[in-house]
Amino acid sequence: MIAIKEIEKVGAYTQLMYRVFAKPDKWSMFFRQYKEELKKQGIESLAIVVIISIFIGAVITIQMIKNMENPLLPNTLIGLATRDILLLEFSSAILCLILAGKVGSNISSEIGTMRITEQIDALDIMGVNSANFLILPKITAFVTIMPFLVLTSMFVGIIGGYGVAVFTDMITVKAYESGIQYSFTPYYITYSIIKSVIFAFIITSVSAFYGYTVSEKGGALEVGKASTDAVVNSSVLILLFDIMLTKLLL
Amino acid sequence: MIEVNHATKTFDDGKTVLKDVSTIFETGKTNLIIGQSGSGKTVLMKSVVGIFRINSGEILYDGRNITLMKRKELNMLRREIGMLFQGSALFDSMSVLENVKFPLDMFTEKDEKEKTERALFCLNRVGLDEVVNHAPSQISGGQQKRAAIARAIVMNPKYLFCDEPNSGLDPKTSLVIDKLIQDITHEFNITTIINTHDMNSVMEIGENIVFISNGVKAWQGTKDEIFDTDCEPLEKFIFASNLYKEIKKAHNFFHDKDSTKQK
């Protein structure tokens, strides 16, 4: 029974995406919405990305120092480990899990509220493809802004570790610097960006699906539930795709 | 004119909400669908608009059968439709003026000045000149309804649908909204369909009334014929209120008096 329900959900999601990826009714309106979404999802997420990345970068560095207090391990490994953790996993997967909470819940509650207040019906009655009008700008905006958020996170995270070297005597600046430059593989950045773009699609499309399918009579409770479901399901899917993409791309 | 012929609607749970309903909604008149809560009037209206697909029967918009239309054709037809929702359904992220301008932005190639002029004309027509730059949340329920009417008529629709336009409004504001809808219907010769259970609206603007009971069309007539009905469910519906019992007594009294005079 549960399996059938889940299959039905996948079917409904596919049908919704078919409507989402139609040609917009009017391109000028699409670009207006797209710019709005870039600002709402991208620029307004920048602050949280910077704060989290700088602190996590610093914390990873401190933990690496504590775990590598061994005279046989060179100090350069601390910078190297911090860099690789940030590049390979934190700035793509973990950052997207955090953004699933912020952006995902925002999308599902916004669209869900539009559903229960009949704003989506109003669009449909006007002859507007509501799924395309509301969801496509969100998906495209988040997918295009995500690589910049990831690159910012990587850069700021490394700066966070650098701060530990500058402001404490746990590691020298020179050792940290040589560590982050040691055995650098540029492909890690490409790998991280590919993952994040896919995760951005998962976050926006899954959250939009839960918001769009809120029952009209459900009220605030249903919107809250949709918001929770959106975050939980997109997080699980991110983790699942993280394993698959890591196996495929590395 | 909108014709509904033998419309039947059954939901996935097996419940039949509309049973072989046939009726005509006339152009240039305020057509009212009335009935108790759960009688099927909202389903009838949503079926006519095309939100629900009926299982059998046909719905003709000036001869165009919407039950046979594909999504694209239906979207084209919907550009001739204006709709006023129960909760107004104004877009929260836009100002009142932007809400009214929205259909013009979506479907016309007019320049910004022309679109603003047209939107302001419609807002002026509903008496909302002073709040054009307010957000929907900053204006009263009655003003929201009027803004929604302005948005519904901005594209010069042929058909206007109003779902419980008086819900949540005080009697005086309800009257203003009712008169506004009726005036617009006559002025622009629109086919207007109003879904309501407000008897004041029925008596004020009911030019063609369709009474739905348990998914069946139980009666159709005008506001002048409604007191003389012998339809039992309609009588129960109208005279649930003591006020209308008294009005009926007065109606009968004057009716008898007129008959005696004529004799």
Side-chain angles (χ1 to χ4, degrees):
Chain A
M1 201 62 193
I2 294 170
I4 290 171
K5 253 189 174 175
E6 290 307 311
I7 291 167
E8 277 177 358
K9 228 178 241 180
V10 172
Y13 170 83
T14 313
Q15 280 183 329
L16 180 68
M17 287 304 118
Y18 179 73
R19 285 184 61 205
V20 168
F21 287 98
K23 188 179 155 218
D25 290 313
K26 204 168 185 184
W27 283 103
S28 59
M29 290 296 278
F30 167 78
F31 285 117
R32 195 201 283 183
Q33 295 279 101
Y34 174 76
K35 274 193 275 179
E36 276 288 309
E37 295 299 333
L38 275 183
K39 184 174 163 265
K40 208 160 69 183
Q41 296 173 23
I43 312 297
E44 288 175 12
S45 298
L46 204 58
I48 194 163
V49 168
V50 168
I51 292 169
I52 291 172
S53 303
I54 205 160
F55 280 96
I56 295 292
V59 169
I60 291 171
T61 309
I62 294 168
Q63 286 180 352
M64 286 303 132
I65 295 166
K66 291 283 172 198
N67 285 296
M68 291 185 187
E69 277 176 343
N70 186 329
L72 293 174
L73 295 171
N75 269 353
T76 47
L77 282 183
I78 293 162
L80 183 142
T82 304
R83 182 201 69 202
D84 282 357
I85 291 171
L86 286 168
L87 259 58
L88 289 169
E89 197 58 18
F90 175 78
S91 294
S92 51
I94 307 297
L95 184 75
C96 282
L97 283 174
I98 294 163
L99 289 178
K102 185 192 176 285
V103 175
S105 63
N106 176 285
I107 289 174
S108 61
S109 54
E110 182 188 320
I111 297 178
T113 306
M114 287 187 80
R115 169 66 74 196
I116 62 165
T117 54
E118 296 178 310
Q119 292 176 48
I120 292 180
D121 286 344
L123 284 170
D124 286 333
I125 294 296
M126 283 177 204
V128 178
N129 176 350
S130 59
N132 173 275
F133 179 77
L134 294 173
I135 303 172
L136 188 63
K138 290 185 195 304
I139 294 178
T140 46
F142 200 48
V143 164
T144 44
I145 201 77
M146 189 49 112
F148 297 100
L149 294 177
V150 169
L151 291 172
T152 307
S153 167
M154 287 172 181
F155 178 73
V156 173
I158 286 172
I159 296 289
Y162 192 77
V164 175
V166 171
F167 297 112
T168 70
D169 56 357
M170 297 169 92
I171 181 175
T172 63
V173 172
K174 202 179 167 203
Y176 182 77
E177 275 178 357
S178 62
I180 57 172
Q181 289 171 53
Y182 182 74
S183 184
F184 173 62
T185 315
Y187 176 69
Y188 286 177
I189 294 179
T190 314
Y191 156 78
S192 211
I193 287 174
I194 293 170
K195 277 205 308 182
S196 68
V197 164
I198 292 167
F199 297 157
F201 176 77
I202 290 172
I203 293 169
T204 42
S205 63
V206 170
S207 305
F209 169 73
Y210 278 100
Y212 197 84
T213 51
V214 161
S215 154
E216 220 168 81
K217 289 177 180 166
L221 273 181
E222 189 94 356
V223 175
K225 190 178 171 297
S227 210
T228 311
D229 288 347
V231 175
V232 170
N233 286 293
S234 38
S235 301
V236 171
L237 282 171
I238 285 171
L239 294 172
L240 200 69
F241 273 79
D242 195 20
I243 289 182
M244 294 198 306
L245 290 168
T246 304
K247 188 83 180 71
L248 276 172
L249 298 171
L250 278 186
Chain B
M1 182 175 72
I2 298 174
E3 282 174 73
V4 178
N5 296 325
H6 307 289
T8 298
K9 173 71 189 168
T10 305
F11 284 104
D12 292 342
D13 59 6
K15 197 178 171 196
T16 302
V17 184
L18 289 182
K19 295 163 197 161
D20 197 32
V21 174
S22 295
T23 186
I24 289 175
F25 299 111
E26 294 168 50
T27 306
K29 282 188 179 175
T30 45
N31 301 276
L32 270 66
I33 304 172
I34 62 168
Q36 288 178 333
S37 299
S39 59
K41 59 185 191 302
T42 301
V43 175
L44 174 60
M45 184 181 230
K46 288 194 170 177
S47 301
V48 173
V49 184
I51 294 176
F52 294 149
R53 288 261 176 181
I54 52 174
N55 301 91
S56 63
E58 56 179 16
I59 295 163
L60 305 170
Y61 280 67
D62 292 309
R64 293 169 291 174
N65 190 346
I66 71 156
T67 53
L68 302 176
M69 284 181 186
K70 290 186 177 148
R71 191 185 285 276
K72 219 173 186 180
E73 290 171 283
L74 193 59
N75 279 348
M76 292 307 289
L77 173 73
R78 279 173 171 170
R79 290 173 196 180
E80 298 172 18
I81 294 174
M83 183 148 183
L84 171 62
F85 285 87
Q86 201 173 340
S88 302
L90 294 172
F91 304 124
D92 304 321
S93 56
M94 300 177 191
S95 68
V96 169
L97 179 64
E98 285 166 342
N99 261 286
V100 177
K101 234 168 62 176
F102 179 79
L104 299 169
D105 286 335
M106 274 316 282
F107 304 118
T108 68
E109 296 302 330
K110 288 178 180 169
D111 63 39
E112 202 54 34
K113 194 177 160 231
E114 279 178 293
K115 285 188 280 191
T116 307
E117 273 173 10
R118 172 70 188 154
L120 287 173
F121 168 79
C122 293
L123 282 164
N124 175 269
R125 180 66 192 80
V126 298
L128 272 188
D129 310 72
E130 288 170 9
V131 295
V132 292
N133 292 319
H134 286 52
S137 57
Q138 292 173 311
I139 58 177
S140 69
Q143 286 175 321
Q144 285 181 9
K145 290 270 157 96
R146 282 192 278 162
I149 293 172
R151 185 177 68 182
I153 62 168
V154 76
M155 292 283 284
N156 282 323
K158 282 185 177 174
Y159 315 98
L160 179 64
F161 292 85
C162 307
D163 187 16
E164 308 215 1
N166 300 326
S167 71
L169 299 180
D170 62 84
K172 197 178 165 195
T173 313
S174 296
L175 196 66
V176 172
I177 298 292
D178 283 342
K179 288 302 286 177
L180 187 60
I181 293 170
Q182 190 175 39
D183 290 348
I184 284 168
T185 303
H186 293 160
E187 197 177 319
F188 301 111
N189 198 34
I190 301 171
T191 307
T192 298
I193 302 178
I194 302 168
N195 179 9
T196 187
H197 50 229
D198 181 358
M199 275 307 291
N200 292 332
S201 295
V202 174
M203 298 316 295
E204 198 62 44
I205 57 166
E207 293 173 315
N208 175 32
I209 304 160
V210 177
F211 175 67
I212 303 289
S213 176
N214 290 325
V216 176
K217 187 188 89 176
W219 183 86
Q220 183 161 7
T222 66
K223 65 178 180 183
D224 301 318
E225 293 162 357
I226 206 163
F227 281 126
D228 299 321
T229 179
D230 51 5
C231 170
E232 202 182 317
L234 179 59
E235 278 191 327
K236 276 186 188 165
F237 174 74
I238 303 169
F239 304 117
S241 150
N242 284 335
L243 174 67
Y244 284 97
K245 279 181 194 156
E246 294 303 319
I247 291 173
K248 167 124 186 175
K249 271 184 204 164
H251 171 84
N252 289 344
F253 174 76
F254 287 114
H255 191 262
D256 293 346
K257 218 174 174 182
D258 285 348
S259 309
T260 322
K261 264 187 193 170
Q262 275 171 6
K263 278 175 193 171

